[in-house]
Structures are given as C-alpha cells and as structure tokens.
Amino acid sequence: MALRRIGLLGGSFDPVHLAHTALAQAACACLGLDELQLIPAADPWQRPPLAASAQQRLDMLRLAVAGQARLHVNPVEIERGGKTYTIDTLEGLPEGPEYYWILGGDQLRNFCSWHRWADIVARVRLAVAQRPGSDSLAPPELNDVLQVLGRPIVELPFEPMAISASDIRRRLAAGQSTQGLLDPAVAHYIAEHRLYRTGSFQTS
Ligand SMILES: Nc1ncnc2c1ncn2[C@@H]1O[C@H](COP(=O)(O)OP(=O)(O)OP(=O)(O)O)[C@@H](O)[C@H]1O
Ligand SMILES: O=C(O)c1ccc[n+]([C@@H]2O[C@H](COP(=O)([O-])O)[C@@H](O)[C@H]2O)c1
C-alpha cells in the first residue's frame, strides 16, 4: 500500500492570507497529498515580535481553512511554546507517512540558517513555490546535502502571487483596502478584533 503523504506548511501567519491557502491547495494537487497541515509558529525566532497573539493567529487559520477538506491546522508549535525550531516539530511527528515541507522561495534562500537544517532535510522532502521578489535559489551547501540524500527539491507549479502578510499589516495600519488578499472570514475577524490598526505588538 502507498505511504500516506502529508504536507506541512509552517509560518507566522500574521495573518494567514490567500497566497498561503493557494499554496496549500497547489501542494495538495501537485504532490498528491492526503492532507496538508498549516502549522503556526509560537515564536519564530528570526523575526521581530508578531502583531497578533498565538490564539488570534490560530483562530484566523481555522477560519481560512474551513470547508477545505484536506487542509488542517496543527497547533503543535503553539502548544509546545518557546522559540520555534522546525526540527522539534518534525521529531514529534508519527513515523510512517511521507512528509513534505512546503515553503516559498524566500525561505529557501535562508534555509541553511535554520536550526539543525541538515536533520530537517533528512526527515522531509522540500517543496518550493516561487515568490515575487525572490529567486528561489537553494544555498550550495543545501544542494550538496540533498544530492547525497538523493532527495531533490520539488518545484511546485505555482503562479507567483504578490501577497505578503507584512504588506497586509501595512495596509491595515494605513486604513487601506485588503480586497483580494484575505479570506473574507479572516478579514471580518481582523475588523472585529481591531487587529493591525496601530502597528502595536503582542508577544503571546
Ligand atoms: N505569496 C507567496 N508566495 C509563495 N509562498 C508564500 C507566499 N506568502 C507566504 N509564502 C510562504 O508561506 C510560508 C509562511 O509565510 P509567512 O507566514 O511568513 O507569511 P509572509 O507573507 O511571508 O509574512 P511576512 O510578510 O510577514 O514575511 C513561508 O514559507 C513563505 O515563504
Ligand atoms: O527551525 C528554524 O530554525 C526556522 C528558522 C526560520 C523559519 N522556520 C520556519 O519556517 C516557517 C516560515 O517562517 P516565517 O518566519 O517565514 O513565517 C515557519 O514554520 C518557521 O518556524 C524555522
């Protein structure tokens, strides 16, 4: 019997936007995934403090995936707390399925700065989507390790989408429209909770 295939899309999701869900759907289709888990980071250690709380980011993710059968929210990193290292998440996954770590080209460039990155690629296949403004180039030391492992990067066919959470936060703080950038239920949640209006930060 074929192994179950599970996609993992980690992120700050501050907030989750339409490129995240489009990327998740593209990965499901291209990789033949049985499910895709969106995993919000508790404390993404390479970033400044996030604007929305962990609970708010979880709430928005759950609204964004509602009704999309193969997309699930996995709160494991928020439940674990502390600085978020992807390798800790991967070491806690059940053995058996074949795992794919989905990421945008901007993160691929940065990959060798991740904690124990070589242990990560021993556990998952990397599947990368192009992102406007990023060349999606893998660092040479990553390519070397992947060649030894015989696990080349999968390039996802993904029409580049010029959407980012930082641009959405900027627009909201400036009172500008986010039409076409957010799921309507997420946009409603943001308005209801008055998120991202002032550029102020929360850390929990
Ligand atoms: N428009 C996009 N196209 C392709 N990948 C994306 C896009 N937006 C986000 N991603 C990928 O989704 C994952 C999670 O992204 P994240 O939650 O950091 O959102 P972001 O839009 O990159 O946020 P920010 O603008 O604050 O950096 C990362 O791997 C990122 O590269
Ligand atoms: O494990 C690490 O050291 C590490 C370093 C940078 C980023 N990551 C993960 O990459 C994903 C995208 O991160 P970000 O900052 O673009 O939202 C998210 O799941 C992070 O936890 C992980």
Side-chain angles (χ1 to χ4, degrees), residues 19-69:
H20 292 132
T21 41
L23 174 57
Q25 290 292 1
C28 284
C30 166
L31 302 171
L33 301 178
D34 295 291
E35 69 173 73
L36 184 140
Q37 302 177 5
L38 295 104
I39 310 177
D43 176 6
W45 64 276
Q46 295 186 338
R47 285 180 173 267
L50 301 181
S53 70
Q55 187 60 52
Q56 288 165 339
R57 292 181 294 117
L58 260 179
D59 290 345
M60 291 188 279
L61 271 167
R62 288 182 172 135
L63 291 169
V65 305
Q68 303 192 59

Side-chain angles (χ1 to χ4, degrees), residues 51-145:
S53 70
Q55 187 60 52
Q56 288 165 339
R57 292 181 294 117
L58 260 179
D59 290 345
M60 291 188 279
L61 271 167
R62 288 182 172 135
L63 291 169
V65 305
Q68 303 192 59
R70 281 182 293 178
L71 306 193
H72 302 277
V73 179
N74 182 344
V76 63
E77 294 184 345
I78 283 174
E79 287 168 2
R80 188 171 72 235
K83 284 196 194 321
T84 302
Y85 299 118
T86 296
I87 188 63
D88 294 340
T89 305
L90 302 182
E91 286 180 342
L93 291 173
E95 279 181 30
E98 192 175 8
Y99 292 104
Y100 289 81
W101 186 266
I102 317 298
L103 71 172
D106 55 312
Q107 278 293 351
L108 186 62
R109 246 185 178 288
N110 185 37
F111 191 78
C112 294
S113 70
W114 292 25
H115 183 56
R116 292 175 53 203
W117 64 269
D119 293 330
I120 295 178
V121 292
R123 288 180 174 265
V124 292
R125 283 289 293 273
L126 296 182
V128 179
Q130 278 196 42
R131 192 166 183 184
S134 164
D135 54 18
S136 301
L137 271 186
E141 60 267 49
L142 173 60
N143 279 333
D144 290 348
V145 169

Side-chain angles (χ1 to χ4, degrees), residues 127-193:
V128 179
Q130 278 196 42
R131 192 166 183 184
S134 164
D135 54 18
S136 301
L137 271 186
E141 60 267 49
L142 173 60
N143 279 333
D144 290 348
V145 169
L146 292 178
Q147 192 167 9
V148 172
L149 291 170
R151 314 181 99 184
I153 294 170
V154 180
E155 288 185 21
L156 294 172
F158 187 66
E159 192 63 40
M161 293 176 80
I163 303 181
S164 72
S166 40
D167 176 56
I168 290 169
R169 293 193 300 275
R170 255 194 314 272
R171 284 169 185 262
L172 289 164
Q176 293 168 355
S177 167
T178 55
Q179 185 75 31
L181 306 177
L182 293 165
D183 179 281
V186 173
H188 185 260
Y189 182 98
I190 288 172
E192 202 179 8
H193 291 80

